[in-house]
Amino acid sequence: MRKGRLQGESEGWSMSAEEALPETLQFIQILWQLDHVLNTRSRRMLKVLGVTGPQRFAVRVVGLRPGCTPGHLARLLHVTPATVTRVVQRLEEAGLVRREPDPADSRRVRLHLTPKGRKLDERVDFSGESPILDVLQKTPAGRIEETRRLLAALIASLEHG
């Protein structure tokens, strides 16, 4: 087992080496913990901002890439086009996003933020971005890239395994 802080030490409890989980389970445990805090943050965002985490991500992407297509948004979110359709419908109903016909292809639409959507895009409180940005700014670029590659390999292995 690798040396380092065991899960739970930051909460004031620790495990002996005999009680510690195998490394694979420790890794899964930390992923579940990350999933849990992201879902908790998403529910909090829904209460405070009126959008979930994935909806907020969609607003941020449309804000950064005005005129993007739902298909492009689906690829960035790593979800099916049907899922993006539901997300965009909710954002449209909330008055945050508008669809415009693609001038080059009448079968496609382009997504744009409304003034209300732009206001939400500018808000950083409760979004989850600030704590992530804080950690990323304190972490060497090489370590971030190494972590990104590790997570990408893990995702690929889980998707195809």
Side-chain angles (χ1 to χ4, degrees):
M1 180 178 309
R2 293 184 185 155
K3 291 184 179 179
R5 180 177 251 164
L6 295 175
Q7 175 61 30
E9 286 184 4
S10 62
E11 290 84 27
W13 58 272
S14 61
M15 292 184 207
S16 69
E18 298 81 38
E19 294 175 307
L21 296 171
E23 187 173 46
T24 303
L25 292 180
Q26 285 185 38
F27 198 82
I28 292 170
Q29 182 183 34
I30 204 88
L31 291 174
W32 282 115
Q33 186 177 7
L34 177 60
D35 180 64
H36 175 74
V37 298
L38 286 171
N39 284 318
T40 299
R41 175 74 63 151
S42 183
R43 286 189 301 275
R44 183 172 160 212
M45 286 172 52
L46 182 59
K47 288 178 184 174
V48 174
L49 300 177
V51 294
T52 64
Q55 291 168 347
R56 164 71 178 174
F57 187 85
V59 166
R60 293 287 290 134
V61 169
V62 174
L64 290 169
R65 297 200 170 56
C68 70
T69 65
H72 181 74
L73 190 57
R75 285 188 299 279
L76 287 173
L77 286 168
H78 295 281
V79 296
T80 65
T83 300
V84 164
T85 298
R86 289 188 298 275
V87 168
V88 170
Q89 283 174 338
R90 287 185 190 103
L91 294 174
E92 199 171 28
E93 289 167 3
L96 300 169
V97 170
R98 72 178 188 282
R99 299 174 206 230
E100 292 183 1
D102 185 329
D105 185 347
S106 61
R107 297 167 296 171
R108 297 170 89 183
V109 295
R110 299 283 177 170
L111 303 174
H112 297 275
L113 295 180
T114 64
K116 183 179 176 183
R118 281 192 293 280
K119 285 182 184 175
L120 177 64
D121 184 35
E122 293 168 1
R123 287 190 71 175
V124 295
D125 57 329
F126 303 107
S127 70
E129 290 173 63
S130 296
I132 292 170
L133 179 61
D134 183 49
V135 170
L136 290 175
Q137 288 176 336
K138 294 175 182 174
T139 305
R143 188 168 171 208
I144 294 169
E145 184 54 34
E146 182 182 332
T147 303
R148 188 178 288 127
R149 283 193 310 267
L150 173 69
L151 292 173
L154 180 60
I155 290 166
S157 180
L158 287 168
E159 285 178 336
H160 305 294

